[in-house]
Amino acid sequence: PGSLKEKMHAGRSVRTAAAPVDASRGQLQEIVKKSGGVDLFSLDGQHRPLPDERDLVKFCKLAEELGAGVQLRIQHQRLAHMTGRYADLGVLAVMVPLVEEVETANDAINNFYYPPLGNRSWGGEFRFGEKPPTDRLKYSQWWNGNALLGFQIETLRGALNARHIVKPGVDWISWGPGDMAFDIERHSNSPFKTVEEAHAYVKEQLK
């Protein structure tokens, strides 16, 4: 069936479902049953309380035991350097919101992936798929080929910089239509009249 990364790059569906970080095994199993299967349980650290790190570790391990990973939207684009930290705690997929600058993209990629793709520090016992003793080179190669990193394009600057922001290591982009609408409305000289025009521009840039 291929990895989630391969499925995403091939345009195939990746099944996600929101779940509270304090959910029990039974509750997660019920979500899986109702959803017809779950690839990633999603947590929102941007607009909801961020879980305690110990609770996040437990949640990620529970999800992994059920055959799923965890996707976390981090709090702010200025914390893009934390992608590796959350990966060390068991998160398989990280979404960075409001990405506008190449520097933000570089911070996210460099800290999320191991060399040669990134510059993430080696270590941690809670990583997804961690089965000690861990072979450093085998695991880092596996991680770079399976973990998922996504950016949200939510502003005019992000849309106009999309070609430079979305580079190797970025697996998907998602939209923030509310924030994009705010940005269009407050710029009388906006090159886009609607959110749809902005999205169409980004898609064209990424062909």
Side-chain angles (χ1 to χ4, degrees), residues 5 17 19 31 52 54 65 81 115 117 162 176 192 194:
K5 200 178 192 83
I31 292 173
D52 176 85
R54 294 178 182 82
E65 290 170 7
H81 64 279
L117 183 55
F192 314 114
T194 66

Side-chain angles (χ1 to χ4, degrees), residues 133-200:
T134 305
D135 183 286
R136 176 179 57 84
L137 294 179
K138 285 183 179 179
Y139 183 84
S140 60
Q141 183 178 23
W142 178 89
W143 177 266
N144 286 358
N146 287 269
L148 297 164
L149 179 64
F151 292 165
Q152 282 194 281
I153 306 295
E154 307 181 77
T155 65
L156 295 174
R157 188 169 182 82
L160 294 171
N161 279 343
R163 180 179 293 177
H164 306 291
I165 288 169
V166 180
K167 53 178 64 182
V170 181
D171 298 296
W172 88 99
I173 62 167
S174 64
W175 312 114
D179 287 324
M180 181 67 80
F182 278 138
D183 212 23
I184 291 172
E185 289 159 0
R186 68 172 163 242
H187 288 90
S188 58
N189 61 343
S190 167
F192 314 114
K193 298 266 194 277
T194 66
V195 170
E196 290 73 22
E197 284 183 13
H199 292 175

